């Protein structure tokens, strides 16, 4: 079974235990997988509510990439389909406990999703705070979307870490 394993890296020769750096790295690695999975389960679960579906409207309707989908699906149906995708990505990332192939797919899908949401920064009105001007951004939607840059990096990390494990298996 190809599970997360950091135990054979970074031995501290003085105490025959793992070094503080290795323990910190392991915590961060496990934390990245756990945090992304929790975020996807939570955000994905919220997509099944009318409240969340309505919250997506300003982002999706102004997007040249996704706005056309409201011509095919209702606001609630689109949100529910997005919820299915997000919960599935969360399951794939959590699937790292079983196989790095699962988390590689989850990490890659997650990176694609966060690239898409970051594109909203260029198409959603109100991202730039007019009273401050560029590079000042509003709390919402500006700062709300900007946090996806960190989640994109975590997604790429998960995909890369999983791919590395597959290459060395």
């Amino acid at each position: 079974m190809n599970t997360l394993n950091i135990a054979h890296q970074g031995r501290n020769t003085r105490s025959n235990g793992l070094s503080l750096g290795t323990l910190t790295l392991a915590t961060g690695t496990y934390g990245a997988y756990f945090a992304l999975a929790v975020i996807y389960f939570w955000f994905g679960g919220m997509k099944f509510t009318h409240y969340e579906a309505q919250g997506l409207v300003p982002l999706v309707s102004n997007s040249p990439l996704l706005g056309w989908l409201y011509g095919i699906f209702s606001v609630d149906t689109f949100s529910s389909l997005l919820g299915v995708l997000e919960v599935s990505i969360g399951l794939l990332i959590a699937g790292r406990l079983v196989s790095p192939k699962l988390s590689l797919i989850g990490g890659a899908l997650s990176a694609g999703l966060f690239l898409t949401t970051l594109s909203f920064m260029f198409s959603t009105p109100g991202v730039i705070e007019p009273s401050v001007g560029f590079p000042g951004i509003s709390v919402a939607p500006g700062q709300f979307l900007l946090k996806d840059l960190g989640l994109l990096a975590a997604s790429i990390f998960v995909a890369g870490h999983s791919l590395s494990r597959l290459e060395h298996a």
Side-chain angles (χ1 to χ4, degrees), residues 9-20:
Q9 300 174 7
R11 293 274 176 194
N12 182 335
T13 55
R14 288 188 292 176
S15 65
N16 270 347
L18 294 176
S19 72
L20 181 59

Side-chain angles (χ1 to χ4, degrees), residues 46-114:
M46 286 295 296
K47 296 294 186 293
F48 296 99
T49 68
H50 182 70
Y51 168 82
E52 179 73 11
Q54 289 300 311
L56 294 175
V57 171
L59 302 169
V60 175
S61 64
N62 289 295
S63 169
L65 294 174
L66 300 178
W68 58 273
L69 289 169
Y70 283 151
I72 299 172
F73 303 109
S74 71
V75 168
D76 288 327
T77 299
F78 172 77
S79 185
S80 293
L81 291 171
L82 186 56
V84 169
L85 175 63
E86 289 182 352
V87 170
S88 297
I89 290 172
L91 288 169
L92 287 165
I93 291 169
R96 179 62 172 91
L97 295 170
V98 177
S99 169
K101 288 179 185 176
L102 295 173
S103 55
L104 171 58
I105 295 166
L109 288 171
S110 179
L113 195 60
F114 285 121

